[in-house]
Amino acid sequence: MGIEEYGGGQGPETDVLVVTTNDIPGHRVEQVIGEVFGLTVRSRHLGSQIGAGLKSMIGGELRGLTKTLVETRNQAMERLVEQARSRGANAVLAFRFDVTEAADVGTEVCAYGTAVVVTRV
């Protein structure tokens, strides 16, 4: 598995800019739309869980679980962007992820931030 499979985030061509900061240099916030989020819950199949359990006994990275978490985070972010776009935003400020266990059946990943309309100054 190459390093490109472990990354995420946006590509260079996007109509909704997502940043972790509270502002964007060179831009002015014209309108605050409000909170947006993207949520997904994923579980691993039994074979993967057994493999991860065995691997955890001898140490090392759990690559299957890592890849699943990256895919899950990317899906949550895509849903956040879709929600922001549908509400008329062109940016999301203060972007964060929240990851929790979901009732011992999977991992819940929530991507959230503040949808805004920005213009270049």
Side-chain angles (χ1 to χ4, degrees), residues 91-103:
V92 175
L93 302 178
F95 170 72
R96 304 287 187 268
F97 280 113
D98 185 39
V99 180
T100 58
E101 288 298 314

Side-chain angles (χ1 to χ4, degrees), residues 4-76:
E4 67 280 353
E5 295 181 58
Y6 289 104
Q10 297 183 290
E13 300 296 321
T14 183
D15 61 332
V16 178
L17 180 61
V18 179
V19 298
T20 59
T21 56
N22 293 328
D23 56 13
I24 303 170
H27 293 76
R28 178 177 48 248
V29 174
E30 298 292 337
Q31 179 185 2
V32 175
I33 294 172
E35 180 192 12
V36 288
F37 67 90
L39 181 68
T40 186
V41 178
R42 293 271 182 103
S43 66
R44 297 278 293 164
H45 61 80
L46 183 59
S48 295
Q49 294 290 48
I50 292 170
L54 293 173
K55 179 73 174 186
S56 69
M57 285 190 244
I58 60 172
E61 182 181 9
L62 305 174
R63 289 183 183 213
L65 291 175
T66 300
K67 185 175 179 184
T68 297
L69 187 54
V70 168
E71 291 168 354
T72 303
R73 287 173 60 125
N74 288 342
Q75 183 179 46

